[in-house]
Amino acid sequence: MEIFIGSDHAGYEMKKNIKEYLQGKDFKVTDLGSFSGEESVDYPDLTREVAEKVLEYPGSFGIMICGTGQGSAMAANRFKKIRAALCDSEFLAEMARAHNHANILCLGARVIKNDLAIKIVDKFLNTKPDKDQRHKRRVEKIDKNVG
Ligand code: RB5
């Protein structure tokens, strides 16, 4: 499974921790930056990097971490075919994958602690999309709603 991970300065330390965890589990992880927790960077720039890679490599997943995760989710969801989910619980991660077929997970490093972040990442990556027609239909309607 291929994972593209990114963060702004606020999410840098959490990104490092998640990356190490996933590499220990043999995931193929590409870190798109930022590469410092000191230098202030703009989350839409890193989010774009992650979203573009997820679209380029079908079947891959993105993980984007900023202070709240909110800005990253907003920025990622501007991309057609990206379904980014801001999750602060394992339940949200499970539903985001099962019902909404999310392909990018957004996390807030100023909202949750590292151990919960790891549990959320695990749940997100280990939950398969529910193939039930009603979920598929609803997910397809998301793209049709682009204004
Ligand atoms: C950066 O200070 C902060 O605004 C950013 O990390 C994020 O929380 C935005 O949604």
Side-chain angles (χ1 to χ4, degrees), residues 43-44 47 66 68-79 82 84-86 106:
Y43 61 82
T47 304
C66 63
T68 59
Q70 196 75 269
S72 297
M74 289 179 183
N77 280 318
R78 291 294 173 101
F79 288 77
I82 288 295
L86 170 57
C106 296

